Amino acid sequence: MQLYEIHIHGFADTEAALALQEPLARLLCPVEDHEGPCEVPWGFTVGDGSLVLGIYASAARAAEVTDRVRKFVGGAHPAVLGGPTSDAFDELMGQYRVERPAGGD
């Protein structure tokens, strides 16, 4: 398990990038008020003309989430998976550990 960032590019401005946050949140977590933790801890930030989706996941799960994001946003917004480039998502590791005690998922 590690932090990954999915950089979603191709926005005219920050407002356009931010407008995609809620639809992507529902892609990752369709039921906003569900019980228990999200399958993959996630968060957003904006940087370098892109929307950045941070996730804490295995390499295989990160690739699967990236594929889902790519299909959702289409070719107008290339999505690139990479490791963390900032400390913007450090809280996701703690969230995962709190929500999944030792021996869990």
Side-chain angles (χ1 to χ4, degrees):
M1 299 289 294
Q2 71 176 53
L3 287 171
Y4 291 92
E5 292 182 356
I6 302 169
H7 291 255
I8 306 163
H9 303 279
F11 297 99
D13 53 33
T14 300
E15 188 174 313
L18 292 174
L20 194 57
Q21 279 185 318
E22 185 60 25
L24 280 172
R26 297 295 62 86
L27 175 72
L28 298 170
C29 184
V31 179
E32 187 173 3
D33 294 327
H34 62 81
E35 289 190 32
C38 285
E39 188 176 330
V40 175
W42 54 272
F44 291 105
T45 191
V46 178
D48 298 331
S50 63
L51 179 62
V52 182
L53 168 60
I55 59 173
Y56 187 66
S58 66
R61 179 58 58 102
E64 184 267 326
V65 170
T66 303
D67 287 344
R68 288 175 49 205
V69 168
R70 284 181 180 136
K71 288 176 186 170
F72 184 80
V73 299
H77 301 289
V80 179
L81 175 64
T85 58
S86 70
D87 60 0
F89 300 109
D90 286 349
E91 77 280 357
L92 297 178
M93 291 184 295
Q95 176 186 342
Y96 180 85
R97 289 183 184 111
V98 167
E99 293 174 346
R100 290 177 180 81
D105 185 353

